Amino acid sequence: MTKLAVARDSHTATLLPGGKVLVAGGWGAAGTLASAELYDPATASWGATSSLVTARYYHTAVLLLNGKVLVAGGISAAGNLASAELYDPATGIWSATASLATARYRHTATLLPNGKVLVAGGISAAGTLASAELYDPATGNWSATGILATVRSYHTATLLPGGEVFVTGGRDAVGALASAELYDPASGSWRAAGRIATARFRHTATVLPGGRVLVTGGISAVGNLASAELYDPASGNWSVTASLAATCYGHTATLLSDGKVLVAGGAGAAGNSFAHAELYDPVTASWNAAASFVTVRSGHTATLLPDGKVLVAGGRDAANVSLASAELYAPATGTWSATGSLATSRDYHTATPLLS
């Protein structure tokens, strides 16, 4: 297929070990979706695979060390979900696994070096959460771990080279957060990691070559942001770096093979989706214009493929309509080109990188 079978947003996108990209769940014209699809870079086309056990959106998807994909939480037609399931690329089948202790959505899920998955924060029926849980693929069970110092959702969670998980920003019941925290898998505890200069949520956080973390854009109490900041795990210090040329949130930030970061799409100053893209160079600490999308979009996914190209899929257009289209960015030429469209339009999904 050259398009997704069903228009959708708020799904997940996961790069599988064989190079295909798994898109699962989301929201469509008929409501919450259970369908899933596969993108094959070799043929630049989409094909169907089996459906999720439970329809869901605003969930997370993590590629496990054993090659399976863990999907957890989200929202269904019946409300917030605690359920989790596994996708086996070898069989193309989904199967239920143990449920989270707390139903949640807009949380984060991070694969740890020991193979376990850390789920942190998010939103439940009772409000924004500080709780965190660990999934052990060896037993298929969840267990409680250290609690965040601050309740938060719409935050980022980034695995640092040293094995700790770096959580930044997000929002609580009042608004945007400036705080950051570090999770130590060895002790199962959190500690403060300084404060961002500007509180923000719906931003991005990208680990650069050398270990520093680049935080870009997002939303603050004063509006959409163009500012960017750097966190240095070695010193524990934050510093301001050059700002983007345009404010954005709901954008993507992808570390390219050459060490630069591609920030693309999102919603601009007026809150409308746009096609704008920029490249951050860590060597010069500067931004440069990049070619624009073929189609304006926000809330899309961006997945670095094994060949170094970036697959962007779905999202919402300027009219707030979900997209089925997909595009490829080629760093060698700095250009975008249309590729096989999703069979289902979607936005606000997630993409998980391939394990090396």
Side-chain angles (χ1 to χ4, degrees):
M1 291 183 293
T2 57
K3 304 189 85 162
L4 287 166
V6 180
R8 68 184 78 206
D9 63 79
S10 310
H11 51 289
T12 56
T14 309
L15 187 63
L16 302 177
K20 293 183 179 180
V21 179
L22 171 71
V23 163
W27 178 267
T32 312
L33 300 171
S35 63
E37 306 181 45
L38 290 168
Y39 175 79
D40 186 349
T43 60
S45 62
W46 295 86
T49 189
S50 65
S51 294
L52 290 154
V53 176
T54 302
R56 65 185 75 217
Y57 64 100
Y58 289 162
H59 51 288
T60 53
V62 174
L63 180 67
L64 303 177
L65 295 181
N66 61 13
K68 294 182 180 180
V69 178
L70 172 70
V71 161
I75 305 176
S76 73
N80 301 343
L81 293 170
S83 65
E85 42 190 301
L86 294 167
Y87 178 79
D88 186 348
T91 63
I93 300 297
W94 294 90
S95 59
T97 189
S99 294
L100 290 153
T102 303
R104 65 185 78 210
Y105 68 95
R106 286 298 193 184
H107 52 286
T108 54
T110 310
L111 179 69
L112 303 178
N114 63 10
K116 295 181 180 181
V117 176
L118 172 71
V119 162
I123 303 170
S124 72
T128 309
L129 298 167
S131 64
E133 308 183 40
L134 287 172
Y135 179 78
D136 186 347
T139 63
N141 293 321
W142 294 89
S143 60
T145 189
I147 296 173
L148 289 155
T150 304
V151 299
R152 64 183 80 222
S153 62
Y154 295 92
H155 52 288
T156 59
T158 310
L159 183 67
L160 299 180
E164 293 186 310
V165 178
F166 181 52
V167 163
T168 67
R171 63 174 301 165
D172 58 15
V174 178
L177 297 167
S179 61
E181 308 184 40
L182 283 165
Y183 176 79
D184 181 357
S187 64
S189 61
W190 296 88
R191 71 178 190 277
R195 297 179 67 83
I196 310 171
T198 304
R200 65 186 76 211
F201 64 97
R202 294 192 67 182
H203 53 291
T204 61
T206 309
V207 179
L208 303 175
R212 292 186 301 168
V213 180
L214 174 70
V215 169
T216 69
I219 305 173
S220 74
V222 297
N224 304 340
L225 299 170
S227 62
E229 309 183 38
L230 291 168
Y231 176 76
D232 184 353
S235 66
N237 294 327
W238 286 90
S239 60
V240 174
T241 189
S243 293
L244 291 150
T247 63
C248 58
Y249 67 90
H251 54 292
T252 54
T254 309
L255 180 66
L256 303 178
S257 301
D258 62 3
K260 294 180 180 179
V261 177
L262 173 69
V263 165
N272 297 322
S273 299
F274 62 176
H276 184 79
E278 304 183 42
L279 287 167
Y280 181 77
D281 186 342
V283 176
T284 61
S286 62
W287 293 92
N288 293 292
S292 295
F293 283 152
V294 174
T295 303
V296 299
R297 65 185 77 224
S298 65
H300 50 284
T301 57
T303 308
L304 183 66
L305 300 177
D307 65 1
K309 294 180 180 178
V310 179
L311 172 70
V312 162
R316 287 181 177 262
D317 65 14
N320 209 32
V321 175
S322 298
L323 295 164
S325 63
E327 314 183 28
L328 284 173
Y329 177 77
T333 60
T335 58
W336 294 91
S337 59
T339 187
S341 295
L342 297 162
T344 303
S345 302
R346 64 191 80 208
D347 66 81
Y348 301 115
H349 46 295
T350 61
T352 305
L354 176 68
L355 293 175
S356 57

